[in-house]
Amino acid sequence: MSVLPLTDETPASRGLSDALRAGEPIYLLPKDDVANGVISPALSSCNSADVMIGFFASQSLAEIAPGLATYLRSTQAPLRLIVSPYLTAADQLALAAGTMPSESLASAKIIDSLPDADALSRHTLSCLAWLVAQGRLQMQIALMRDALFHPKVWLFRDGDDVAALHGSANMTGAGLGKNREQLSLSRSWMSDDGARTCARLSEEFEMLWRGGDNDCVIVDLPKALEEQLLRDYKSERLPDEDDCRRLWRKAHGLPEESVAELAASDSREPLRFAIPEWLEYRVGEYAHQGEAVDAWRATGWRGVLEMCTGSGKTLTAMIGAHQLHAEVGPLLIVVAAPYKVLVQQWCGEIGLFGLKAVDLTAEAGAKGRERVIANARRRLRLGLSPSEALVVSNDTLCTHEFAAQIAKHDGPKLLIADECHNLGAAGFMANPPTFFDYRLGLSATPVRQYDDVGTAALFDFFGDPCFSFLLEQAIGRCLTPYDYHVHFVPLSADEMADWRDLSEQIAKLAWKIQAGIKDDRLNNLFLKRRRVLETARSKLDKLGELLDEENARALRYTLIYATDKDPAQLDQVNAALNERRILFHQLTAEESGDKVRTQRILSRFQSGDLQVLTAKRVLDEGVNVPQIERAFILASTTVRRQWVQRRGRLLRTCKAIGKTHAVIHDLVALPPEAYEGGTLDSEAKKIVNSELDRAWEFARLSRNGAATGGPFAKVEELRALLKG
């Protein structure tokens, strides 16, 4: 890189907010020059700077030389670094030189004055030693108990203004100049989210700088050198858990572990794979779980369990995994789930069986997953674990690198696929992981509606459904009864006009359906037409009426489903709750992407602190919130799977709140002619027909079905409209 050396007369830079005013929210390296575009301007204009980084190398000083030189001349504050113990041999020698006693410095080959940008760029090792010797660069070493110290955060401060650069790039020459990396820029003065991000990262740095916590001990550089806690960094092999554990023990004055001791320290507690004593799966309300496991065993440990939502599919699968383990020995268990919130839920359920599940969605990319999987294979190979459980998203399950790492294990391997119907898609079936010896699919609705080919491929891989436990069998046994109220609301004239216009466009392309031709435009038209029904304006009016009939102060454990086809509806629902001063929180994909945030929301709801959850599709599959006892459904697709899942979600039992039954309010949009006594044309009848199946499905198992004015009568109204 070419740099212009700074002189003593170089003027001070503008303030931090001015220097970063034009900064982008995200930088993709090496296409974006983050060193000259963000780091150097920020260093040139800030009063203090802190860095916590996974890997540090002195070459990085050359990349940020202009800004660092200005920083050193314009402020007396040190550049504070918290880094992992893995440094190159050359950097270790330079750091050691910088920590020499003052009487030894005269003989050391380091520079004798404040370096300028040119010196920083050309003589990085000497400059590094000088900066440490003069206290201008203060470094502490982070030692994790059995993992890597892996953050990548730069913090710049100018008075009350704080900027945080954070992402995947290490403080190395390659990290800032060559590697494919990503960094995000948060600025405290730009937004509330930016301020919170900067505050959270600053708090983390200060906590670590003061000594760390139970999982991360911080050691001053001189002590780390004296006690030989630094290790040579070799880019061809990343440190693993064993490397980290050995350094952790050394920093605490503990002896090296013997192989016999590894079993206890590897997971902090000895693991014992066992079925919880409280789990009754042979008798009582959940006897179907034992029957399901028996059926799976009878088919050679391959097959699909068709079990309704709320019947305990997760526990059933783990009971089956334990019985398989008893038969074949140490087992590598891979659980795949479609959503991150389900992955997190599985980790908790697996823990009930004595295993420490590993959430692979929390690992840093393919390299992070590779390290974790390698450690799981090692523990099984050395007999340090009864079984290993890895929980992964469907997206990762389908990747070549993940499959290659799992295939390396030469012992028995089990795949448990939650909501396995999702894996009937072409992406998975094009190259299924046939190396799994044992396979278990879980779904309330394993048959893929409108996709016979995908269904056949799914059953070919997992095996046919070997056990079925449907809603009608579960209600009154392990699921609570429910009342169903269907409310008809009219489409407006312009909404009906939109429906007819979209129907005409669909009719012109309908031949492609018969010919088996996939057409994105046609699919988009179907989505738009369905959106007309799901977002009907009169649904919001009816919801308001129903809420007003409730005691707003007593309202609890309530869920409102909005469409996922138009974000405006959820905003309108939230506004309606705000107007009535009903305490609520939305739970969408945005919230569920943050484990801590999701748990905080659900805990408040489960305690009754939050009265209502508003949601789109995020609660459709697998999320366990048994307290829900009332739901308002503003939007539901024509996909039968969604009906089954949503109903099962509401019918989970919850003795803690005295739940005796659930209540479902279903808002159904109908053509305006249905309210005006007119004759329905063919398009209007299509609307009625599209809603009839769902209304009947919900009505047929409800406990108020035959009541006067109840859902059976409402269904007959719909049937009469079709005959008219």
Side-chain angles (χ1 to χ4, degrees):
M1 61 180 287
S2 61
V3 296
L4 295 174
L6 297 174
T7 67
D8 290 334
E9 289 75 31
T10 300
S13 176
R14 52 192 172 160
L16 184 64
S17 61
D18 288 335
L20 298 183
R21 186 181 304 279
E24 298 292 334
I26 193 166
Y27 290 83
L28 301 176
L29 285 65
K31 290 186 291 186
D32 298 332
D33 186 359
V34 76
N36 288 312
V38 179
I39 298 175
S40 283
L43 284 171
S44 299
S45 56
C46 69
N47 297 326
S48 65
D50 299 322
V51 181
M52 47 182 173
I53 211 80
F55 294 103
F56 166 83
S58 57
Q59 305 103 300
S60 62
L61 302 182
E63 297 291 331
I64 61 172
L68 181 57
T70 302
Y71 178 80
L72 294 171
R73 293 183 184 281
S74 62
T75 179
Q76 292 302 307
L79 176 64
R80 297 190 297 175
L81 271 73
I82 302 174
V83 304
S84 77
Y86 301 96
L87 300 160
T88 66
D91 283 352
Q92 290 183 48
L93 289 174
L95 292 169
T99 58
M100 287 180 181
S102 56
E103 60 269 18
S104 303
L105 291 178
S107 61
K109 294 182 179 180
I110 59 177
I111 63 175
D112 56 7
S113 63
L114 181 65
D116 60 16
D118 187 63
L120 285 166
S121 182
R122 294 174 180 271
H123 310 293
T124 54
L125 288 171
S126 295
C127 291
L128 176 62
W130 188 92
L131 292 172
V132 172
Q134 299 298 315
R136 302 307 310 276
L137 187 152
Q138 296 179 1
M139 182 178 289
Q140 298 204 72
I141 308 301
L143 300 172
M144 298 289 289
R145 186 189 300 271
D146 58 2
L148 285 176
F149 182 75
H150 221 239
K152 290 94 172 177
V153 179
W154 301 67
L155 292 163
F156 309 99
R157 296 181 187 82
D158 178 21
D160 293 332
D161 290 337
V162 184
L165 187 66
H166 50 99
S168 71
N170 281 303
M171 191 175 175
T172 63
L176 296 178
K178 296 180 181 178
N179 292 348
R180 195 86 174 188
E181 307 280 3
Q182 167 267 320
L183 287 167
S184 298
L185 179 61
S186 299
R187 288 155 286 190
S188 65
W189 62 91
M190 293 285 284
S191 66
D192 289 342
D193 284 347
R196 285 197 296 269
T197 298
C198 292
R200 180 72 183 276
L201 292 174
S202 296
E203 290 169 5
E204 179 74 3
F205 182 92
E206 294 299 337
M207 180 275 293
L208 292 171
W209 190 260
R210 291 192 298 267
D213 53 24
N214 291 335
D215 293 316
C216 183
V217 63
I218 302 298
V219 180
D220 287 337
L221 178 62
K223 181 180 178 181
L225 289 163
E226 179 184 349
E227 298 186 4
Q228 298 181 332
L229 297 177
L230 301 183
R231 291 292 180 270
D232 290 352
Y233 173 69
K234 295 180 173 61
S235 59
E236 67 271 13
R237 187 187 78 83
L238 288 174
D240 60 20
E241 289 181 10
D242 289 342
D243 297 323
C244 297
R245 186 183 298 110
R246 282 191 287 269
L247 287 177
W248 169 274
R249 291 179 69 85
K250 190 169 185 178
H252 286 78
L254 301 174
E256 282 284 333
E257 293 171 300
S258 65
V259 174
E261 292 174 312
L262 277 173
S265 63
D266 199 88
S267 58
R268 305 181 197 172
E269 290 182 4
L271 297 180
R272 178 175 173 268
F273 191 7
I275 298 173
E277 294 182 0
W278 50 263
L279 188 55
E280 292 283 353
Y281 63 95
R282 289 292 181 192
V283 297
E285 296 174 346
Y286 290 90
H288 60 276
Q289 294 177 335
E291 297 169 11
V293 171
D294 292 343
W296 183 49
R297 176 196 279 114
T299 55
W301 307 105
R302 289 193 182 187
V304 173
L305 303 182
E306 182 181 9
M307 299 173 63
C308 64
T309 301
S311 60
K313 294 191 293 293
T314 304
L315 294 177
T316 303
M318 287 308 299
I319 295 167
H322 178 267
Q323 294 197 3
L324 176 59
H325 155 75
E327 183 171 304
V328 304
L331 186 64
L332 179 60
I333 304 168
V334 174
V335 177
Y339 306 117
K340 189 172 182 179
V341 67
L342 284 182
V343 169
Q344 296 162 354
Q345 188 168 295
W346 265 96
C347 289
E349 298 280 287
I350 290 170
L352 299 175
F353 289 75
L355 298 182
K356 182 181 178 183
V358 177
D359 178 358
L360 288 179
T361 67
E363 297 302 319
K367 287 293 184 184
R369 292 191 292 270
E370 179 181 343
R371 175 180 57 82
V372 169
I373 297 169
N375 286 331
R377 295 198 310 263
R378 175 186 61 83
R379 288 190 289 266
L380 288 171
R381 185 178 67 253
L382 296 176
L384 302 178
S385 174
S387 285
E388 288 289 320
L390 307 173
V391 191
V392 64
S393 69
N394 286 353
D395 290 341
T396 297
L397 176 69
C398 297
T399 63
H400 173 74
E401 58 267 22
F402 176 79
Q405 291 302 314
I406 297 298
K408 287 181 181 179
H409 180 60
D410 57 7
K413 298 178 285 292
L414 165 65
L415 172 63
I416 300 173
D418 195 11
E419 309 295 351
C420 67
H421 49 265
N422 292 287
L423 294 178
F428 177 78
M429 288 307 169
N431 189 26
T434 54
F435 49 78
F436 280 103
D437 312 281
Y438 310 103
R439 305 166 194 175
L440 177 61
L442 306 173
S443 178
T445 52
V447 174
R448 291 171 59 85
Q449 193 173 358
Y450 314 125
D451 185 10
D452 294 340
V453 173
T455 300
L458 186 75
F459 294 165
D460 183 61
F461 176 78
F462 284 100
D464 291 331
C466 57
F467 179 79
S468 180
F469 188 70
L470 305 179
L471 266 175
E472 44 262 56
Q473 298 168 270
I475 292 174
R477 183 171 168 181
C478 61
L479 294 181
T480 185
Y482 68 96
D483 291 336
Y484 175 60
H485 304 283
V486 58
H487 307 280
F488 298 146
V489 297
L491 288 169
S492 66
D494 60 320
E495 288 169 341
M496 193 65 210
D498 287 342
W499 171 278
R500 289 195 171 94
D501 178 59
L502 290 165
S503 294
E504 288 178 9
Q505 296 180 58
I506 289 170
K508 294 176 182 178
L509 299 172
W511 62 271
K512 293 187 176 183
I513 300 175
Q514 298 296 326
I517 299 173
K518 293 185 177 180
D519 187 300
D520 290 340
R521 180 166 175 258
L522 182 59
N523 290 338
N524 190 45
L525 289 171
F526 277 119
L527 287 174
K528 285 183 176 181
R529 190 171 71 171
R530 185 66 202 178
R531 183 166 59 199
V532 171
L533 298 186
E534 294 190 13
T535 61
R537 289 188 293 274
S538 57
K539 289 188 176 184
L540 272 298
D541 297 333
K542 187 63 180 181
L543 175 65
E545 294 175 13
L546 294 172
L547 289 174
D548 290 338
E549 293 173 5
E550 300 282 348
N551 181 340
R553 291 189 177 183
L555 191 67
R556 290 291 186 279
Y557 310 122
T558 297
L559 176 66
I560 301 178
Y561 269 117
T563 183
D564 61 346
K565 298 178 178 65
D566 187 346
Q569 188 182 68
L570 183 62
D571 293 339
Q572 292 164 347
V573 169
N574 293 343
L577 294 170
N578 265 327
E579 289 173 9
R580 291 161 176 81
R581 298 186 178 181
I582 295 171
L583 297 175
F584 75 95
H585 203 295
Q586 71 178 36
L587 189 60
T588 66
E590 178 183 353
E591 289 78 18
S592 64
D594 183 330
K595 178 180 178 181
V596 174
R597 188 180 184 189
T598 299
Q599 189 54 53
R600 188 186 305 123
I601 294 169
L602 291 180
S603 294
R604 290 184 63 199
F605 178 78
Q606 290 166 328
S607 69
D609 183 25
L610 283 177
Q611 298 172 270
V612 175
L613 282 181
T614 62
K616 293 189 280 189
R617 293 185 63 181
V618 72
L619 285 176
D620 277 355
E621 295 187 321
V623 181
N624 185 15
V625 190
Q627 289 83 359
I628 299 172
E629 57 183 6
R630 181 184 290 100
F632 297 90
I633 301 176
L634 273 68
S636 188
T637 71
T638 57
V639 178
R640 185 175 298 273
R641 180 186 308 122
Q642 190 184 80
W643 313 341
V644 175
Q645 289 166 340
R646 289 191 174 179
R647 200 165 20 154
R649 187 82 48 249
L650 304 171
L651 305 187
R652 294 177 186 266
T653 60
C654 186
K655 295 178 181 178
I657 66 168
K659 182 177 177 181
T660 59
H661 67 284
V663 178
I664 301 172
H665 292 277
D666 191 6
L667 280 64
V668 175
L670 295 180
E673 294 92 337
Y675 290 84
E676 298 165 0
T679 302
L680 301 186
D681 61 20
S682 60
E683 290 305 324
K685 287 184 177 181
K686 284 181 183 177
I687 294 176
V688 174
N689 199 50
S690 68
E691 303 295 89
L692 177 60
D693 285 348
R694 186 183 78 255
W696 168 243
E697 176 60 28
F698 274 65
R700 74 182 182 90
L701 297 180
S702 65
R703 67 176 192 174
N704 68 324
T708 303
F712 286 173
K714 294 287 187 179
V715 167
E716 288 308 312
E717 286 183 40
L718 291 179
R719 294 191 197 280
L721 288 172
L722 291 176
K723 294 176 182 177

